[in-house]
Amino acid sequence: MKRAVTMGNFDGCHLGHQALFRTLKAVAEVNHLQPTVISFEPHSNYVLHGPGDPLLLTTTEEKREFVESLGIEFLVLPFTHELARLPFDKFVRTELIEKREVVSMFFGHDHCFGAGGKGNYETITAAFPELSTQMLSMVLHKGERVSSSAVRNALLNGDVDRAQTYLGRPYRLSGTVVVGKRLGHTIGFPTANVQMEQYKFLPKGGVYVASARLSDGRIYRSVVNIGTQPTTPGTHNLAVEAYLLDFSEDIYGQHLALDLLAFLRPEKKFASIEDLVRQIGMDADTAKNYNGNHWAE
């Protein structure tokens, strides 16, 4: 089936990206085309400038899950130095038109690709008159450009409400549940230690209300701590831990997704384990009664 595509890193899949996705899908359906989002692995900046800059708001699998939930095909192209050096016209001809039967392309207002960044809406429209092309305008929220940087800035301040406004959904942390210190099991609050993928962006350290989704689809309200666990003995590596309310199953090795709903408090070192237990109990009560956001329902 012939395709209509949009292409980019799409880190965050924020409202600006979503406007592009919605237009792509609507036009593709009218013209009986397969709407397709093409992204890159790794992020193109990791090849061009070095790994880890920027840290990722959405991993490739998180992007895949979100895009496919919209009823849009999601394809991943390996991003290499060779691909970066490929002239845009050769890329469009070989990778899009010939290999993937692309007949229509959609562009964000600032998207460019190919050697020297010379592939954009204007140059591709001129070079490939047989392609249907469309460029979307910048998306603004209260006068501010919606961007991945704006989302990161909000999260750095623990402002998950503002981040959610830009994303159109809560910010998600996801990964595999691994063995941690296991202190929580001994104090009555067993936590799931979630191992993030490399280069995943973590928001401001502290305690959050979250919605936890297990791999089987079950959802539990939870308290999430992002930090170094300064009260407990031993090493103090940065960790993401989730205490799932009214839940006691062994989920080691399973995938867990945490949607952050509210920032409760900064992480702190308590004078004793008893003080820590008391605070976790209060955090759990706050999370249980939290109704400022209905994404978890």
Side-chain angles (χ1 to χ4, degrees):
M1 187 175 185
K2 297 186 185 301
R3 288 184 168 95
V5 306
T6 187
M7 188 170 59
N9 288 300
F10 300 122
D11 189 28
C13 292
H14 55 61
L15 292 181
H17 299 141
Q18 292 171 43
L20 188 59
F21 299 162
R22 285 195 302 272
T23 302
L24 165 72
K25 184 179 181 183
V27 175
E29 288 179 345
V30 168
N31 291 282
H32 307 291
L33 303 174
Q34 172 66 60
T36 303
V37 168
I38 297 178
S39 191
F40 302 107
E41 174 66 33
H43 192 293
S44 58
N45 278 6
Y46 289 13
V47 173
L48 298 173
H49 306 297
D53 183 18
L55 295 174
L56 300 175
L57 295 171
T58 43
T59 66
T60 295
E61 285 311 305
E62 287 169 346
K63 279 188 280 189
R64 180 187 302 280
E65 181 180 355
F66 180 76
V67 170
E68 290 182 348
S69 75
L70 302 177
I72 299 173
E73 181 183 37
F74 183 77
L75 299 180
V76 178
L77 292 185
F79 196 87
T80 63
H81 288 288
E82 291 73 24
L83 185 67
R85 289 193 291 265
L86 196 65
F88 80 88
D89 52 347
K90 186 173 182 180
F91 176 88
V92 172
R93 178 66 62 193
T94 59
E95 296 294 328
L96 300 184
I97 296 176
E98 294 177 1
K99 288 186 181 180
R100 295 173 176 85
E101 295 188 275
V102 172
V103 297
S104 181
M105 291 186 69
F106 291 76
F107 297 82
H109 72 281
D110 59 352
H111 182 61
C112 60
F113 64 93
K118 294 182 178 179
N120 55 41
Y121 171 74
E122 288 80 12
T123 58
I124 289 171
T125 300
F128 296 94
E130 70 272 27
L131 285 178
S132 170
T133 56
Q134 186 171 337
M135 181 174 67
L136 270 69
S137 302
M138 180 188 304
V139 174
L140 301 176
H141 174 72
K142 295 183 178 179
E144 181 179 1
R145 177 188 171 191
V146 175
S147 67
S148 301
S149 295
V151 176
R152 289 189 189 90
N153 289 337
L155 292 171
L156 282 173
N157 293 312
D159 192 347
V160 292
D161 283 341
R162 188 176 177 206
Q164 180 172 308
T165 297
Y166 296 139
L167 291 169
R169 65 194 189 285
Y171 183 60
R172 173 167 291 183
L173 299 173
S174 63
T176 303
V177 178
V178 298
V179 177
K181 292 181 179 180
R182 295 186 62 83
L183 176 69
H185 289 75
T186 68
I187 62 175
F189 295 100
T191 58
N193 193 331
V194 185
Q195 182 174 310
M196 299 290 107
E197 283 197 31
Q198 189 179 32
Y199 305 131
K200 174 70 175 182
F201 181 89
L202 294 180
K204 177 182 179 179
V207 180
Y208 293 80
V209 178
S211 170
R213 181 185 295 271
L214 299 173
S215 53
D216 62 9
R218 286 181 294 163
I219 297 174
Y220 292 86
R221 186 62 60 85
S222 64
V223 176
V224 172
N225 185 81
I226 301 171
T228 58
Q229 308 156 313
T231 305
T232 61
T235 57
H236 298 287
N237 298 322
L238 186 65
V240 176
E241 291 185 298
Y243 169 58
L244 278 60
L245 277 59
D246 304 315
F247 183 82
S248 59
E249 297 174 27
D250 182 344
I251 54 173
Y252 289 123
Q254 292 191 34
H255 184 268
L256 187 65
L258 304 169
D259 289 341
L260 303 183
L261 305 179
F263 180 78
L264 286 182
R265 61 177 176 83
E267 186 178 48
K268 63 176 289 187
K269 183 174 182 177
F270 291 91
S272 67
I273 294 296
E274 290 74 21
D275 288 344
L276 173 62
V277 170
R278 189 176 303 109
Q279 182 63 60
I280 295 175
M282 290 190 290
D283 294 339
D285 287 340
T286 301
K288 184 176 295 186
N289 297 316
Y290 177 75
N291 61 7
N293 188 302
H294 298 288
W295 284 90
E297 305 307 326

